[in-house]
Amino acid sequence: MTPLEWLMAGNTGSSSKTILHVMEGTSPPRLGADVPYDPADFGRCHELLEAIPAYRQRLGEVARKYPAWIGLVREWDRLTAMYLEAKASGKRDASALYDAMQVLIDEGRMADGWIQTGRGCWTRGDRSAVQVGENVAVQTDGH
């Protein structure tokens, strides 16, 4: 599958488009470069790496360009095993994968210069904050 064929297939998200952007040297996704936040996001990234295996070998480039990916890339094989196990079980519960991802996402935020100000709340020098709820991220102005 070519990158264009994968993109046109439509099962994409900001995180999988971030991988594509780094691998192909294109502009970042319209909504910005981002990490996979939940098992569904991870699944879209996994599908991209399955469709274009050469990208898997180069995944470290994503973490070098975007430090928020550092833990996710380092643990990609473990996360993939958890994803495949959850998918094979036929259950919709992938909470173990979700929990593992959240720890790695927090690690990535710290590597990217974010400071945790409370449970699920992060701030950066530009006074913006990200408050993370269950499966969603909400951008706030820091108030």
Side-chain angles (χ1 to χ4, degrees):
M1 179 176 277
T2 68
L4 181 58
E5 288 170 331
W6 173 81
L7 191 59
M8 296 304 291
N11 191 21
T12 66
S14 294
S15 56
S16 57
K17 287 179 181 178
T18 296
I19 295 171
L20 181 70
H21 136 68
V22 172
M23 298 298 134
E24 296 298 324
T26 63
S27 298
R30 185 175 52 88
L31 297 177
D34 217 344
V35 298
Y37 285 101
D38 59 34
D41 286 344
F42 185 88
R44 287 185 282 275
C45 294
H46 173 76
E47 287 179 15
L48 170 60
L49 298 179
E50 288 289 304
I52 308 173
Y55 286 2
R56 174 61 187 98
Q57 304 305 314
R58 298 175 48 208
L59 198 55
E61 294 174 34
V62 179
R64 284 189 290 281
K65 184 166 182 78
Y66 297 108
W69 281 77
I70 198 162
L72 293 164
V73 169
R74 183 188 68 240
E75 299 294 327
W76 199 265
D77 290 339
R78 179 173 67 95
L79 297 173
T80 297
M82 294 173 79
Y83 171 77
L84 293 174
E85 181 180 324
K87 188 175 177 181
S89 75
K91 298 179 183 174
R92 294 186 46 88
D93 180 22
S95 58
L97 173 59
Y98 178 83
D99 292 344
M101 290 175 66
Q102 299 318 299
V103 171
L104 298 169
I105 290 167
D106 287 352
E107 176 186 340
R109 283 189 183 114
M110 287 186 275
D112 200 27
W114 290 83
I115 299 166
Q116 190 168 17
T117 58
R119 186 170 183 255
C121 191
W122 296 81
T123 189
R124 209 168 182 168
D126 62 4
R127 290 182 31 103
S128 65
V130 173
Q131 183 175 3
V132 179
E134 194 164 321
N135 296 333
V136 295
V138 180
Q139 193 89 11
T140 66
D141 65 2
H143 298 286

